[in-house]
Amino acid sequence: NAGVTQTPKFRILKIGQSMTLQCTQDMNHNYMYWYRQDPGMGLKLIYYSVGAGITDKGEVPNGYNVSRSTTEDFPLRLELAAPSQTSVYFCASSYSIPGEQINTIYFGEGSWLTVV
Amino acid sequence: AQTVTQSQPEMSVQEAETVTLSCTYDTSENNYYLFWYKQPPSRQMILVIRQEAYKQQNATENRFSVNFQKAAKSFSLKISDSQLGDTAMYFCAFMKHEYGGSQGNLIFGKGTKLSVKP
């Protein structure tokens, strides 16, 4: 029962470096999401995807890029890391039919990223 | 824009007692969903309960129940028979229902830290 798997779980980056957070789900969900959680705050949506080949911006997309080449994978790319990107990142997925009742959104365990 | 407010940053309750966490939200939407998520120290986000706005009946999941007041835009969570394992951050979240478009933009409150004391 893997669900949503994120790697790495912890990473320290230097300012200006780039990296990719990996996310994969084995539930055949069409929707996938990336959220970030800053200290003392709730989660905010960075990017989401409604299916392979389709991505769109969420509330806080600046400084990030995503791709969705397969149903299972939804990597998040950080270009030119900045201290403001220090956060915990959550990948999530759900199966939804547009216009119909949504199903539960399942979260991964989070990736702690520190930019120094 | 939608907002979610949790006015209680921290709460504590004795084991086996009942506690209620408050949540209010602001929206002009008529169709939407409300959620309570639990985040234990492990940081994993765990869905506790969900409520569809079109349903008048309050959702219940074992020891967890909600008091959904649509007109007042209030969505409180009641935890009965509190257990030590209920110690966690609790987040209230809102999602609007969109036809043919994006789904999954959960708007979260800042959370309430609940401590269950033995």
Side-chain angles (χ1 to χ4, degrees):
Chain A
N1 294 338
V4 180
T5 303
Q6 298 177 227
T7 56
K9 287 190 168 40
F10 301 94
R11 181 74 186 268
I12 298 174
L13 273 182
K14 293 184 178 179
I15 294 172
Q17 286 186 321
S18 300
M19 73 160 296
T20 299
L21 294 173
Q22 302 290 345
C23 176
T24 187
Q25 52 90 8
D26 61 358
M27 298 175 281
N28 200 32
H29 286 170
N30 52 346
Y31 282 71
M32 295 189 74
Y33 322 89
W34 275 105
Y35 287 85
R36 61 177 283 174
Q37 183 180 28
D38 298 330
M41 303 291 286
L43 283 65
K44 292 188 176 182
L45 184 66
I46 306 172
Y47 270 95
Y48 67 94
S49 168
V50 302
I54 306 170
T55 63
D56 209 345
K57 296 177 180 179
E59 186 180 356
V60 289
N62 291 344
Y64 306 93
N65 280 298
V66 294
S67 60
R68 184 98 181 269
S69 56
T70 67
T71 299
E72 296 78 18
D73 300 307
F74 190 42
L76 177 72
R77 177 84 176 160
L78 280 72
E79 304 283 0
L80 298 175
S84 61
Q85 293 177 303
T86 294
S87 191
V88 182
Y89 292 83
F90 289 92
C91 183
S93 72
S94 69
Y95 182 76
S96 300
I97 299 174
E100 298 191 5
Q101 184 177 3
I102 64 162
N103 290 312
T104 297
I105 295 175
Y106 294 89
F107 285 84
E109 294 184 346
S111 297
W112 297 66
L113 176 65
T114 302
V115 182
V116 296
Chain B
Q2 290 81 26
T3 58
V4 176
T5 302
Q6 293 179 249
S7 59
Q8 304 151 315
E10 293 192 41
M11 294 189 72
S12 65
V13 63
Q14 292 296 127
E15 197 175 6
E17 300 206 335
T18 296
V19 64
T20 298
L21 280 57
S22 300
C23 173
T24 58
Y25 58 95
D26 187 27
T27 185
S28 58
E29 303 289 333
N30 191 47
N31 293 325
Y32 52 87
Y33 306 88
L34 295 163
F35 306 85
W36 279 97
Y37 278 88
K38 170 185 176 181
Q39 188 178 46
S42 66
R43 283 274 188 169
Q44 188 163 10
M45 296 293 287
I46 302 167
L47 178 67
V48 175
I49 200 166
R50 60 180 274 171
Q51 175 82 41
E52 289 83 354
Y54 66 86
K55 290 186 178 178
Q56 291 186 341
Q57 186 173 6
N58 289 325
T60 299
E61 287 287 344
N62 300 315
R63 298 182 296 108
F64 299 89
S65 61
V66 298
N67 183 6
F68 173 48
Q69 301 290 328
K70 190 173 184 180
K73 296 180 183 174
S74 171
F75 184 60
S76 61
L77 174 70
K78 185 171 82 171
I79 306 174
S80 304
D81 185 26
S82 297
Q83 300 176 359
L84 296 178
D86 295 333
T87 293
M89 283 289 288
Y90 286 82
F91 291 96
C92 179
F94 170 99
M95 182 194 301
K96 68 178 181 177
H97 181 89
E98 297 186 67
Y99 294 92
S102 67
Q103 293 183 3
N105 190 6
L106 286 161
I107 308 297
F108 284 85
K110 292 186 177 181
T112 296
K113 184 177 181 180
L114 177 67
S115 299
V116 180
K117 300 182 185 298

